[in-house]
Structure formats: structure tokens, C-alpha cells
Amino acid sequence: MSNRKTVYVAISSDILHRGHLNVLEQAARLGEVTVGLLTDSAIATYKRAPLLDWETREATIANMRQVSRVVPQDTLSYAQNIRDFRPDFVVHGDDWRTGIQSVVRAEVLNLLSEYGGELVEIPHTVGVSGTDLEAAFRPTASTTDSRRAQLRRLLKMKPWLRAIEASNGLSALIVENVKVDDPENGAVREYDAMWVSSLCDSTFKGKPDTELVDFTSRLRTIHDIMEVSTKPIILDGDTGGRAEHFPHMIRTLERVGVSAVIIEDKTGLKQNSLFGTDAVQTLDDPREFAIKLNTGKRAQVSDDFMIIARLESLIAGLGVDDAIMRAKIYIEQGGADGIMIHSRHKDGEEIREFMRRFREYTTEIPVIVVPTTYNHIPESELAEMGASIVIHANHLLRSAYPAMLDTATRILENGRSLEVDDELMSIKDVLKLIPE
Ligand code: SPV
Ligand code: MG
């Protein structure tokens, strides 16, 4: 056995830059370097999923002369690997002393103190930021194929995903970029996916949500979103239209890089589900709907596109039994890749019951929930019930409209716009908002 000292360095980044090279160089001077390369799931749970998969990243790092071996690090926490390898040194840049990574650092110090290991911190390399480099690379790394595959990839990496409505280029930019720190977990929280809602797409166009906005127009919205963002898109496909047309819709969506379409089991003039039984909600014959789903599945060219069946039983007041019966038919006969269960009840009890019974039937099939009315239930609790994707379906539209209405009203009242200035973004900020 070598009596050289052992050194542990954790790396999560896709893109290796001068800062990493510096840390590895210094680490190699201390002894034999083991790199704990964060797995795709570990990265995805605390920031955006990596651009390159573990195998590709591993191949690069394993070939570096400073590195003796690469091992997976399954969590953001170093605990498991430090306990397993008991390195003499852990080496890291000193930039993690402050900010959200300080939680991870504190744990490392604790673990090392258990056996006399040492933390060596290398002064942070100024002028290079992994986050900035990654942000610059991401748009060019996002191809039609990789974007389409991204939803399935994320579903494998993370226990559950969070999506929100994006209805135009500007709201897509918000969904693409908004982040908040999650200091308790040393993580950064962001949206995983975008929901292109029929309600919001129609409403922004001043049209009712009755499938009046045709597919060509919906595609225009999708293009606007795609041009400025990279996150996977889940399209609200309404009823999927005529069964004969549905395969053509699937081919088009696959070709442009949409990740999933959700179609609802309604027929006749579609009415928004949040009307519930205040509107006529006619459900399709479940076998007919399964045939429609199946025609779509057979038309599909790629393996990664998802066709998700949306159950409207609870919206139509038919109860959980009907929803479960239909879910089974859509999966077993229609080949649905996932289920969306919709409800407008405020207490969320039907959703709880559906999830319990559905998860007894299968744990494999992803389930999507849309907590618009039962939004007192936190996302994490819905995930505990077995939800795979939580969609906040219309919240950007609903926040934009009152703000716009208020501004328009106050300018009318005052005969000038000075009074609203304080609530508005400055023109300077508007000009800076979109990079040229
Ligand atoms: C949409 O966002 O268009 C939906 C969800 O279909 S809901 O409006 O809640 O029916
Ligand atoms: Mg809709």
C-alpha cells in the first residue's frame, strides 16, 4: 500500500476552468488525488442538471494527470465518501466559506475532525466563474434532440419536478432564469420545466380557452419560448383535436423539440376545467380516448417524447373511481407515458385519495398535479403523496394582468403617468433586460 497522503476533491461542474485546474494542481502536491464527481442526480437536486452526463464528465477527469481515480459522489454532502475513504485532506476553493455552500463546508469540517483529517482551502481564482461559463454554454449545448429528451432525463434524476406557465418569450426568460437560494440544503432552487397552458396562451391573445386558438398559433408561441430558453416544454394539448390529426401533432411537436404533450379526455367544445360542472364537461369514451393516445404513441419517432393522459373525471364530478378506471385504460390500452390528474376542489382530498390509489396500482408512471385551487398544499407534500411533476399553471398571467390593469387605470385617473412610476421597471432596466 502506498504511504502517500490521500486527498479528496469534489467536483460538480460540467466545464473545467482555471479554478478547477488550480485546485487539482495544489491537491496533487499534497498526495494522491481522488475526485468525488457529483452524479447527475446529486447536481440536479441542488442546481440545474448538468449539460454532460456523468460518464462523459468522468472520462475527462479520469484522464487528468493530477487525478488518481474518480468516484461518484451521490449527494451534495461529502459525508458518505469522507466516511468511506477517510482522506488525509479535503481540498476546496475558499469561496465556499460564505454563501449557500457554507452548510456543506461546516459538515466537512465536522467529519474531518472525527479522525484528524484536514481541510485545505485554495484562494479562489478571480475572474472565472463556473456558473457564468455554464450559462454561456447552455444555449448552444441545447439542441432540439437534447431539449426534447430533457424531461425524461430530469424525471430520472430528481424525485419530482417543478414547472410553471410560460406563455411568451418574456415569461419564458423569467422561468429560465429565476432562482432562489435554499440555504438549509446548500442548494439553489429553480423551475425544472415550462408549461405552455392553453388557458394562458388563449387569454394573452384575448381569446377564450375553447381550442379556438389553433395549433399553428400555439406553435408560434412555442417557437417564441424556445428561441430564448432551454428548459423542457410540457405542452397543454387540450383534447389533442381529432384522433386522425393527433399523430401529425405529435410528429410536429417532436420535430420542434417539445418534451411532452398532455391531452385531456374531453370531447365536444372544450371548456376550461376550472369552470368545473358550471360548464358542460363532456368526457370522451375511455376506449376511444385510449385509441387516440395509442395512435399518437405509434406515430412517435423518438423514444424520449412523452404523451400524457389528463383525467378530467374529478372536474366532471365523476369521482376517484372513474379516474382510476380511466387511468388504467389510458396506460394499459393507450400506452400513456404519464397521467395528469386535475381537480378544482379546494381541500385537495380527492387528489390525496387518487394519489394513494394510483400509487398502489403503479409506482412507475409519472403523475402530474396542478394545485391551482388546493394551493395550500406545499409542493413537497404533493411529492410525498407520489406526484412526479407539480405545475403552477397560470400564475404569471394572473400576476401580470392586475398589474397592467392598475397601471392603465391610474394613468387615466391622473392624466399622466408620473404617479405610477414607482411601481414600474425603469426604461434603463427594460433596455438591460434582454441582452443583444
Ligand atoms: C391550462 O392551464 O390551460 C390548463 C389547466 O389546462 S387549467 O386551466 O387548470 O384547466
Ligand atoms: Mg388548458
Side-chain angles (χ1 to χ4, degrees):
M1 222 181 95
S2 148
N3 48 16
R4 286 188 71 200
K5 298 270 188 194
T6 55
V7 189
Y8 187 81
V9 179
I11 294 184
S12 66
S13 181
D14 279 299
I15 298 162
L16 292 178
H17 53 67
R18 272 189 295 124
H20 296 109
L21 296 180
N22 188 23
V23 167
L24 288 172
E25 198 61 55
Q26 308 263 4
R29 285 187 200 148
L30 294 167
E32 199 164 85
V33 176
T34 295
V35 167
L37 184 60
L38 268 77
T39 56
D40 299 346
S41 300
I43 295 174
T45 49
Y46 88 95
K47 61 176 189 179
R48 274 188 82 167
L51 298 167
L52 304 173
D53 61 19
W54 195 86
E55 288 71 22
T56 313
R57 293 183 287 120
E58 193 264 348
T60 315
I61 294 175
N63 278 303
M64 295 175 77
R65 68 176 161 70
Q66 300 90 341
V67 177
S68 297
R69 63 170 176 167
V70 181
V71 297
Q73 182 173 314
D74 292 322
T75 54
L76 181 58
S77 156
Y78 289 40
Q80 191 63 48
N81 284 1
I82 291 190
R83 287 206 176 99
D84 287 352
F85 305 128
R86 295 171 69 87
D88 298 308
F89 301 104
V90 167
V91 179
H92 197 285
D94 64 1
D95 52 322
W96 70 342
R97 288 188 184 162
T98 54
I100 51 167
Q101 283 210 70
S102 56
V103 198
V104 181
R105 177 181 185 265
E107 189 191 43
V108 167
L109 281 170
N110 251 331
L111 290 158
L112 290 172
S113 72
E114 284 172 16
Y115 63 88
E118 200 184 315
L119 174 64
V120 176
E121 292 178 319
I122 311 291
H124 177 61
T125 309
V126 182
V128 57
S129 145
T131 314
D132 291 352
L133 277 174
E134 204 235 64
F137 273 108
R138 197 170 277 278
T140 38
S142 171
T143 63
T144 305
D145 288 338
S146 70
R147 185 171 192 163
R148 185 180 54 236
Q150 192 67 355
L151 190 68
R152 276 205 200 267
R153 190 168 171 241
L154 284 170
L155 280 167
K156 283 200 198 108
M157 285 184 213
K158 298 179 80 166
W160 60 277
L161 310 179
R162 175 189 288 119
I164 190 167
E165 162 234 334
S167 302
N168 46 47
L170 190 60
S171 53
L173 275 175
I174 293 177
V175 182
E176 178 78 12
N177 296 317
V178 67
K179 293 182 185 49
V180 296
D181 283 352
D182 172 2
E184 222 170 277
N185 299 305
V188 175
R189 194 184 286 178
E190 51 180 296
Y191 292 98
D192 299 294
M194 302 177 176
W195 164 245
V196 180
S197 148
S198 69
L199 172 66
C200 300
D201 198 359
S202 308
T203 306
F204 270 119
K205 289 173 169 48
K207 299 270 170 63
D209 180 21
T210 54
E211 296 185 287
L212 176 65
V213 176
D214 66 14
F215 186 52
T216 308
S217 177
R218 304 289 312 279
L219 266 181
R220 186 62 252 168
T221 304
I222 292 170
H223 280 305
D224 287 345
I225 291 171
M226 287 197 137
E227 277 178 22
V228 298
S229 64
T230 63
K231 290 186 175 173
I233 292 179
I234 305 170
L235 175 69
D236 173 359
D238 286 318
T239 64
R242 292 178 63 110
E244 296 85 343
H245 296 171
F246 188 52
H248 297 272
M249 183 196 223
I250 296 302
R251 288 281 180 92
T252 305
L253 295 176
E254 278 195 285
R255 199 169 54 245
V256 300
V258 168
S259 301
V261 66
I262 302 187
I263 59 166
E264 58 195 272
D265 55 358
K266 289 208 197 98
T267 184
L269 180 70
K270 193 215 76 162
Q271 297 288 330
N272 184 273
S273 304
L274 298 173
F275 284 126
T277 45
D278 299 345
V280 181
Q281 308 277 6
T282 317
L283 297 204
D284 204 349
D285 174 87
R287 279 172 192 81
E288 288 295 321
F289 192 69
I291 291 169
K292 189 192 269 190
L293 290 165
N294 199 252
T295 322
K297 281 312 290 174
R298 279 187 285 118
Q300 193 175 317
V301 181
S302 70
D303 292 334
D304 38 43
F305 186 77
M306 298 176 78
I307 301 181
I308 295 169
R310 163 169 166 178
L311 302 164
E312 291 288 294
S313 308
L314 306 180
I315 295 297
L318 298 177
V320 176
D321 282 349
D322 186 77
I324 292 285
M325 175 272 290
R326 284 171 180 270
K328 290 181 181 171
I329 294 175
Y330 300 160
I331 292 165
E332 290 163 22
Q333 296 176 28
D337 299 300
I339 290 292
M340 172 168 146
I341 180 70
H342 204 11
S343 163
R344 71 192 271 269
H345 277 201
K346 273 185 163 293
D347 61 14
E349 284 312 311
E350 285 180 332
I351 291 288
R352 212 177 280 280
E353 187 190 339
F354 176 85
M355 291 305 310
R356 187 181 52 73
R357 289 176 56 185
F358 186 80
R359 284 300 178 220
E360 274 166 17
Y361 162 64
T362 172
T363 51
E364 298 298 311
I365 301 282
V367 177
I368 298 178
V369 293
V370 185
T372 305
T373 48
Y374 51 95
N375 63 355
H376 59 288
I377 307 182
E379 296 159 334
S380 54
E381 201 177 317
L382 294 165
E384 270 162 34
M385 291 179 206
S388 322
I389 307 181
V390 178
I391 298 182
H392 303 282
N394 43 45
H395 298 76
L396 301 188
L397 166 95
R398 285 166 61 205
S399 52
Y401 183 80
M404 292 193 289
L405 181 62
D406 182 57
T407 301
T409 309
R410 287 175 58 203
I411 294 173
L412 264 187
E413 284 167 355
N414 290 291
R416 62 181 190 182
S417 65
L418 178 74
E419 285 71 15
V420 295
D421 267 356
D422 284 351
E423 269 131 72
L424 305 189
M425 201 175 170
S426 72
I427 289 293
K428 203 165 124 233
D429 286 345
V430 172
L431 295 175
K432 279 196 306 202
L433 187 64
I434 318 280
E436 278 183 27

